[in-house]
Amino acid sequence: MPRERLDETGLGLHDVSWTRVSAKLVWTDLVGTVLVGGIVTAGLVLLGVASGGTGGTAGLVWFLIGAAVGIVTLVTALLTPRRIRSIGYALRDDDLVLRRGLMWQRFTAVPYGRLQLVDVNRGPLDRALGMSELKFVTAAASSNIRIPGIPAGQADELRDRLVELAESRRAGL
């Protein structure tokens, strides 16, 4: 079995112990992708039929746009499992590091002392699968930091641990 890379060389993150999100997150993302892509594709095909089918230029254009949306939906659905496997987080001494992305990898380090709020969210599908999403509010004005697909019990423990670390770091400032 090939070893999966968790970071690129030169980032200084080789000794980090990464925790991956739940594999169940693939299902929630696939449901959303296929549902939205399928509805948009079906709507565009119906517009093509209403515009005169493939016999007219307008109908053909709607069919082609619908086909393009269908192909993008299919490719996105096929890449979803690998994209979800690329999401991970690590608790280091002074910060939380988040990792995501396939082609464009993104590493975000959140210093514990800058955390102001750790929010646990559970949507209906997440609750059915026993997962949560952690959202972080930091001292930065525009931070959109979140970790999806964490098992519910683990999310509560992680939230409590991060709040504890944030309070201790802010007290030391």
Side-chain angles (χ1 to χ4, degrees):
M1 180 177 203
R3 185 174 151 239
E4 294 186 67
R5 275 191 353 236
L6 289 175
D7 66 73
E8 293 291 330
T9 58
L11 292 175
L13 297 173
H14 299 293
D15 58 344
V16 173
S17 176
W18 294 99
T19 304
R20 293 180 192 254
V21 298
S22 173
K24 294 177 185 177
L25 182 61
V26 171
W27 294 107
T28 60
D29 271 23
L30 279 176
V31 165
T33 298
V34 171
L35 203 61
V36 170
I39 289 171
V40 172
T41 300
L44 291 167
V45 168
L46 286 174
L47 275 173
V49 169
S51 299
T54 57
T57 305
L60 183 60
V61 169
W62 287 116
F63 278 123
L64 291 175
I65 294 172
V69 169
I71 290 169
V72 168
T73 299
L74 179 64
V75 169
T76 302
L78 291 173
L79 290 176
T80 294
R82 179 63 187 105
R83 186 179 53 80
I84 297 302
R85 282 195 311 270
S86 75
I87 301 172
Y89 65 93
L91 299 175
R92 298 194 304 181
D93 291 338
D94 296 320
D95 56 10
L96 167 72
V97 180
L98 306 171
R99 178 195 188 279
R100 65 176 53 219
L102 290 177
M103 291 180 65
W104 288 271
Q105 292 181 343
R106 180 177 178 183
F107 293 87
T108 306
V110 183
Y112 297 131
R114 305 286 283 177
L115 285 176
Q116 294 179 341
L117 175 72
V118 181
D119 190 19
V120 177
N121 294 322
R122 294 180 179 109
L125 194 51
D126 288 335
R127 281 194 309 270
L129 295 172
M131 294 187 311
S132 300
E133 175 183 73
L134 286 180
K135 288 188 178 183
F136 303 97
V137 175
T138 65
S142 62
S143 62
N144 182 19
I145 302 165
R146 62 185 192 89
I147 307 174
I150 300 176
Q154 186 179 345
D156 293 336
E157 291 172 14
L158 183 58
R159 177 202 55 216
D160 294 343
R161 176 77 176 126
L162 290 171
V163 167
E164 177 185 311
L165 287 167
E167 287 175 354
S168 70
R169 295 304 193 273
R170 279 196 304 266
L173 292 178

